[in-house]
Amino acid sequence: MNNIQLDSEGRLRHFLSIQGLNRELLTRVLDTAESFAAIGAQQVKKVPLLRGKTIVNLFFESSTRTLSTFELAAKRLSADVMNLNVRTSSTKKGESLLDTLRSLEAMHCDMFVVRHSDSGAAHFIARHAPSHVSVINAGDGCHAHPSQAMLDMLTIRRHKGSFPNLRVAIVGDILHSRVARSEIHALSTLGTGEIRVIAPRTLLPRSVDSLGVHVFHNMKEGLKDVDVVVTLRLQRERMQGALLPSEREYFRLYGLTEEKLVLARPDVIVMHPGPINRGIEIESAVADGPHSVILEQVSHGIAIRMAVMAMAMQVPVPEAKEAR
């Protein structure tokens, strides 16, 4: 089956979704990111791999952390970078995307990094972009956020070494989370032993069982003996109707606290894709505590995005390390 993300030789062309990518390619992304991770600690924080290339960060949806790390990643690869914050709430999606695309084509760009509130927007652009332009999905609707998933995979691998013996719990608003979907696909592709989702019934998609996860509605049962906990942001901007009784009640039942975390394995790591709502999804004692790797996730985001950009542009990248 034709995979728009890959070229005829199976190399990465676009990075739109974890779905359709195999374990070998995901491992190569992680290994390539490892080779870029030390660049941030060097005196000169740049390599010339994308010198002469032009990358446009095309953000139709607000973002701070993701936009910053994509911009920094591109600059560390020596690319020319342009950020476009475009709001489309009052325009028709197809017309706006195509009009914007045609204008950017005239500027001879080489890569679009796209964030959009509509699921499928990055795929749409990839299908209409010129053949020499790569498209990276920086988050589309409730669909996918593949680079966030891969930076989380890098964080897990650095702490736990490998995936087959792990129990990973994803807690919170699974229904509206593009991060959760991409994480589940990435964990599954990398052979994770057990993937759990913990959420109230109102914040779970109907088809969640088909993703191969174990579903828990009780936080204490779901956290028992897990190696990794990923807490998610409540995405109120995407909620329609009363899905929660109150934030206080949600925190009582599903907020990650020190008291609940003791049920996990002693060396558990705690992650959150940000931004954090303290006292709603997670208490500060956990977010800032010894098990938290939340700030490491941010650092790893730069290395992962450098790896994805370099691989999609198909430039020679540093030798990949042996998979851990």
Side-chain angles (χ1 to χ4, degrees):
M1 183 174 69
N2 182 38
N3 185 339
I4 190 176
Q5 298 193 89
L6 306 176
D7 67 9
S8 59
E9 298 181 11
R11 298 175 300 183
L12 197 65
R13 187 74 186 86
H14 305 290
F15 191 55
L16 309 174
S17 170
I18 298 296
Q19 287 179 282
L21 304 182
N22 60 31
R23 186 182 304 186
E24 180 182 3
L25 196 146
L26 295 189
T27 301
R28 183 150 186 261
V29 171
L30 296 177
D31 293 343
T32 304
E34 289 282 7
S35 68
F36 286 134
I39 290 176
Q42 296 177 181
Q43 188 172 8
V44 178
K45 299 178 176 59
K46 279 196 172 186
V47 291
L49 292 180
L50 296 188
R51 181 178 294 163
K53 302 293 186 183
T54 301
I55 296 175
V56 178
N57 291 322
L58 189 56
F59 277 53
F60 295 86
E61 190 180 62
S62 297
S63 167
T64 301
R65 182 181 308 184
T66 302
L67 175 59
S68 299
T69 52
F70 266 112
E71 181 179 1
L72 199 51
K75 288 180 175 177
R76 286 187 178 172
L77 291 168
S78 302
D80 296 317
V81 184
M82 181 167 59
N83 295 328
L84 293 180
N85 292 302
V86 187
R87 303 296 180 90
T88 59
S89 59
S90 61
T91 60
K92 294 181 181 179
K93 183 187 74 174
E95 291 180 356
S96 176
L97 284 173
L98 283 176
D99 289 345
T100 304
L101 192 63
R102 299 296 176 247
S103 297
L104 292 170
E105 287 175 18
M107 301 179 195
H108 304 290
C109 302
D110 300 288
M111 174 179 285
F112 298 147
V113 179
V114 180
R115 168 168 284 203
H116 202 287
S117 58
D118 290 338
S119 298
H123 278 81
F124 178 86
I125 290 179
R127 292 187 184 282
H128 289 83
S131 59
H132 69 279
V133 174
S134 295
V135 178
I136 308 295
N137 185 2
D140 62 329
C142 299
H143 174 236
H145 197 348
S147 64
Q148 176 69 44
M150 291 309 296
L151 73 88
D152 287 348
M153 297 306 106
L154 182 61
T155 305
I156 291 172
R157 197 177 77 165
R158 281 195 151 196
H159 280 271
K160 300 298 181 183
S162 61
F163 294 88
N165 295 321
L166 296 182
R167 290 193 183 97
V168 179
I170 303 174
V171 184
D173 186 0
I174 310 293
L175 178 63
H176 303 97
S177 177
R178 54 199 175 202
V179 174
R181 284 170 176 75
S182 291
E183 296 235 342
I184 291 168
H185 289 304
L187 288 166
S188 178
T189 302
L190 291 169
T192 302
E194 182 179 348
I195 307 168
R196 302 178 179 180
V197 295
I198 309 172
R201 296 181 191 278
T202 53
L203 294 183
L204 283 171
R206 290 181 181 177
S207 58
V208 67
D209 290 332
S210 67
L211 298 176
V213 299
H214 297 267
V215 179
F216 292 81
H217 303 297
N218 182 291
M219 186 80 163
K220 292 184 178 179
E221 292 176 1
L223 289 178
K224 188 176 180 181
D225 296 328
V226 297
D227 303 278
V228 178
V229 183
V230 181
T231 51
L232 299 174
R233 183 175 68 86
L234 278 181
Q235 301 197 38
R236 288 199 171 278
E237 71 277 13
R238 300 187 191 281
M239 294 183 185
Q240 296 180 348
L243 299 180
L244 297 172
S246 69
E247 290 182 345
R248 177 180 295 183
E249 183 70 359
Y250 178 81
F251 180 68
R252 186 179 73 80
L253 295 174
Y254 295 99
L256 188 60
T257 63
E258 288 185 308
E259 179 186 1
K260 294 170 187 166
L261 193 61
V262 297
L263 296 166
R265 292 181 62 84
D267 60 347
V268 65
I269 60 171
V270 174
M271 304 198 295
H272 192 301
I276 301 172
N277 292 313
R278 294 171 183 261
I280 298 176
E281 300 134 11
I282 187 170
E283 69 176 1
S284 290
V286 176
D288 303 325
H291 297 286
S292 174
V293 295
I294 294 172
L295 292 180
E296 288 183 44
Q297 292 175 259
V298 179
S299 297
H300 294 162
I302 300 170
I304 281 291
R305 283 153 184 156
M306 290 176 71
V308 170
M309 287 176 167
M311 290 173 65
M313 294 298 293
Q314 299 185 0
V315 297
V317 297
E319 189 70 23
K321 298 178 180 179
E322 293 295 326
R324 296 184 177 186

